[in-house]
Amino acid sequence: MELPGVAVLEHLGSRSQSLIFGSIEGLMCEIRLWPDGSAVSAALKKGNYRQLWGHWPQSYLEALCRARGLVSWLNQNRFCGVCGNAMEACTIEPARRCPVCGFKAYPRISPICIGLVLKGRELLLARSSHFPPGVYSALAGYIEAGESVEDCLCREIREEAGIEIRNIRWFGSQAWPYPCSLMMGFFAEYAGGVLVAQEREIESIGWFAPEKLPLLPHPSTIAFQMIDSACHHLLSR
């Protein structure tokens, strides 16, 4: 799956918005938006971010991730949230500005905590109904207003699994374009409680040894990388 050329894009007509947001190996990266109802060329095919893993260079995937978040920001800030007037693009910074009241809207990121809980040699994994068939992953959830990262992780694990955790340790982060999230990964240790899956959120949950893991998320995901790292550590003991 490749990016369309200029000739194909010309068939879409006049764009309603555009935004240059960086470069890759000297090539300019530009977002182009067309009005709703624009005729789509037969030469274009709708792609899925997950389908591009392993097919596109990492730099292209990172650019697509950023573009997805910026498109969401542009669409959600056409009008001022304070006075309702049309917003304009700022020329000196990545922001949308209201020419009437001066309100500025910057691209926003929604932070998510994902935690891999360990109990001895076992890993806590669960599956949601929106996962691909058979796939299990670590538990995750959005940080709420006024909540610390650690508080969020403890709350999410408690709500979705019914247990308490301790000794939270940082793993890493990954931009997640659905549409503009940041996944922050942590390891934690089981501290007590009985494992109970949250209704409506968790379809199945359990403790898994490294030798008996279920199907896992794609290797490009931070969830897989956390599980893989934990298993290597456990198996090397």
Side-chain angles (χ1 to χ4, degrees):
M1 190 177 294
E2 299 179 352
L3 289 169
V6 176
V8 175
L9 296 180
E10 292 300 327
H11 288 289
L12 297 176
S14 300
R15 55 185 182 256
S16 59
Q17 294 187 74
S18 62
L19 175 68
I20 296 173
F21 65 95
S23 64
I24 301 175
E25 300 173 354
L27 297 176
M28 180 181 64
C29 296
E30 182 184 20
I31 295 170
R32 295 185 181 183
L33 301 180
W34 282 266
D36 293 339
S38 296
V40 178
S41 169
L44 291 174
K45 180 181 179 181
K46 185 176 180 180
N48 182 293
Y49 178 77
R50 291 186 177 92
Q51 293 174 342
L52 299 175
W53 283 332
H55 298 282
W56 276 17
Q58 185 62 32
S59 58
Y60 278 52
L61 292 173
E62 291 172 357
L64 176 59
C65 184
R66 177 165 169 74
R68 179 82 180 266
L70 290 173
V71 166
S72 176
W73 166 66
L74 288 171
N75 284 331
Q76 292 172 4
N77 290 277
R78 292 189 241 183
F79 300 94
C80 178
V82 177
C83 68
N85 282 281
M87 300 281 272
E88 297 177 346
C90 291
T91 58
I92 59 173
E93 58 181 342
R96 303 278 289 170
R97 180 182 181 276
C98 176
V100 177
C101 72
F103 171 73
K104 285 185 179 180
Y106 294 88
R108 293 186 177 183
I109 298 173
S110 300
I112 303 173
C113 283
I114 179 168
L116 182 61
V117 183
L118 305 176
K119 186 177 72 170
R121 294 189 72 259
E122 295 181 315
L123 292 69
L124 179 62
L125 300 176
R127 65 166 279 103
S128 171
S129 59
H130 66 266
F131 286 2
V135 170
Y136 282 68
S137 185
L139 297 174
Y142 284 95
I143 299 175
E144 296 182 354
E147 192 174 46
S148 71
V149 172
E150 293 81 4
D151 288 343
C152 170
L153 194 61
C154 290
R155 175 183 55 78
E156 284 293 336
I157 300 297
R158 186 183 305 118
E159 290 176 353
E160 296 187 352
I163 63 172
E164 300 298 326
I165 58 173
R166 66 187 177 191
N167 193 18
I168 298 172
R169 307 181 304 283
W170 172 256
F171 173 80
S173 62
Q174 181 181 47
W176 199 243
Y178 295 101
C180 49
S181 299
L182 176 66
M183 302 278 283
M184 296 181 288
F186 298 86
F187 292 126
E189 294 178 2
Y190 168 77
V194 178
L195 197 62
V196 179
Q198 182 183 30
E199 293 184 12
R200 301 184 303 275
E201 289 287 335
I202 304 300
E203 190 174 271
S204 177
I205 193 168
W207 297 102
F208 296 86
E211 301 87 354
K212 296 183 179 181
L213 293 177
L215 291 177
L216 299 178
H218 192 279
S220 295
T221 64
I222 189 172
F224 178 91
Q225 293 161 17
M226 292 170 64
I227 297 168
D228 186 60
S229 175
C231 287
H232 276 297
H233 176 71
L234 293 170
L235 292 172
S236 65
R237 287 180 177 178

